[in-house]
Amino acid sequence: MRRFLLLVPVLAAAHAFAAPHHDKDTLTNSRYQESTAEKAAREFKEADVALPAFPDTRNGGWFDIYVNNTYTKKPKILLDSIALAPDGTVRYVLNIQSKQGYDNLSSEGIFCAGTSFSLKESQRSSFKVFGYGDTVNKRWITPRNGEWKPIGAILNTADPVRGVLYRAFCEDGKPENEQALRERVIRRAGSRSLSAGNPYK
């Protein structure tokens, strides 16, 4: 009789372990498999966007970008060129004038990543030059090996102008419309933003 009483709990325990297990009983779904479309939605894919009209370097809505007191070039961004592309990137026209006043135009884009911790290059904040300005013939020249370059390493000294633009466009989350992007540049990337106290308001 004693052996029988000991056997009952053992059988009950075995039955509990043999009971079917459902994913809804746990916090994770081990049977779910991500579809190809869902994976593609998480990966950044560059949209094919035509280069903008070649700008007038002397007229238009150019805005002076402030880098620091020791930066000798004169970077400007064409406010009307700031646009949101279908791939979520911010496109714009930049003119990094030399100290002597020579124009160095480029049509560029910045990708604002949703997180800074991704190990995949396709998910990191980055920028790309889509065209360089030929100011003599008034045309864009497409670079042969244009590629997206991670921004993380250039925020301080390597490429201070793109660092300023990244902070203006991407920090605190990218704005949802182009007008808000332009306002961000005016508030965060100009020399007046420093005198106003906190440039990231």
Side-chain angles (χ1 to χ4, degrees), residues 7 12 24 50 55 57 60 63-64 70 75 77 81 86 134 143 146 152-153 160 165 169 177 190 194:
L7 188 59
K24 65 182 181 180
T57 58
F63 179 78
D64 294 329
T70 60
I77 188 170
S81 73
D134 176 0
L165 291 178
F169 291 139
N177 60 70
L194 298 179

Side-chain angles (χ1 to χ4, degrees), residues 51-103:
L51 289 169
F54 199 84
D56 183 342
T57 58
R58 296 294 172 256
N59 300 298
W62 291 99
F63 179 78
D64 294 329
I65 297 172
Y66 177 83
V67 177
N68 56 50
N69 290 331
T70 60
Y71 192 74
T72 57
K73 295 180 181 179
K74 305 169 187 176
K76 306 169 186 291
I77 188 170
L78 188 59
L79 291 177
D80 290 343
S81 73
I82 298 173
L84 283 170
D87 55 19
T89 60
V90 181
R91 306 292 176 100
Y92 55 91
V93 173
L94 188 66
N95 184 4
I96 304 181
Q97 284 186 332
S98 68
K99 186 178 180 180
Q100 294 76 24
Y102 295 111
D103 296 312

Side-chain angles (χ1 to χ4, degrees), residues 5-171:
L5 292 175
L6 291 175
L7 188 59
V8 171
V10 172
L11 290 174
H15 178 71
F17 283 110
H21 178 72
H22 298 285
D23 285 330
K24 65 182 181 180
D25 297 330
T26 66
L27 296 177
T28 58
N29 186 343
S30 60
R31 294 183 183 182
Y32 173 75
Q33 292 188 359
E34 190 174 38
S35 69
T36 304
E38 288 170 324
K39 287 180 181 178
R42 287 193 300 102
E43 296 288 339
F44 168 69
K45 285 189 175 182
E46 180 186 318
D48 186 12
V49 178
L51 289 169
F54 199 84
D56 183 342
T57 58
R58 296 294 172 256
N59 300 298
W62 291 99
F63 179 78
D64 294 329
I65 297 172
Y66 177 83
V67 177
N68 56 50
N69 290 331
T70 60
Y71 192 74
T72 57
K73 295 180 181 179
K74 305 169 187 176
K76 306 169 186 291
I77 188 170
L78 188 59
L79 291 177
D80 290 343
S81 73
I82 298 173
L84 283 170
D87 55 19
T89 60
V90 181
R91 306 292 176 100
Y92 55 91
V93 173
L94 188 66
N95 184 4
I96 304 181
Q97 284 186 332
S98 68
K99 186 178 180 180
Q100 294 76 24
Y102 295 111
D103 296 312
N104 293 289
L105 288 167
S106 56
S107 176
E108 306 183 0
I110 283 183
F111 168 65
C112 301
T115 175
S116 304
F117 301 104
S118 176
L119 297 178
K120 292 185 178 181
E121 286 192 13
S122 63
Q123 295 176 346
R124 295 179 190 167
S125 292
S126 50
F127 82 98
K128 180 178 179 178
V129 176
F130 296 101
Y132 291 102
D134 176 0
T135 56
V136 174
N137 299 297
K138 308 297 182 186
R139 60 173 184 153
W140 294 111
I141 299 174
T142 304
R144 290 183 179 179
N145 299 315
E147 59 183 14
W148 290 94
K149 298 179 181 179
I151 284 179
I154 66 165
L155 286 178
N156 296 319
T157 57
D159 196 337
V161 175
R162 274 81 179 198
V164 171
L165 291 178
Y166 166 78
R167 293 184 182 98
F169 291 139
C170 303
E171 284 192 353

Side-chain angles (χ1 to χ4, degrees), residues 79-80 82-85 175-184:
L79 291 177
D80 290 343
I82 298 173
L84 283 170
E176 296 295 324
N177 60 70
E178 293 163 0
Q179 182 59 34
L181 285 167
R182 296 182 186 111
E183 291 172 359
R184 276 257 194 113

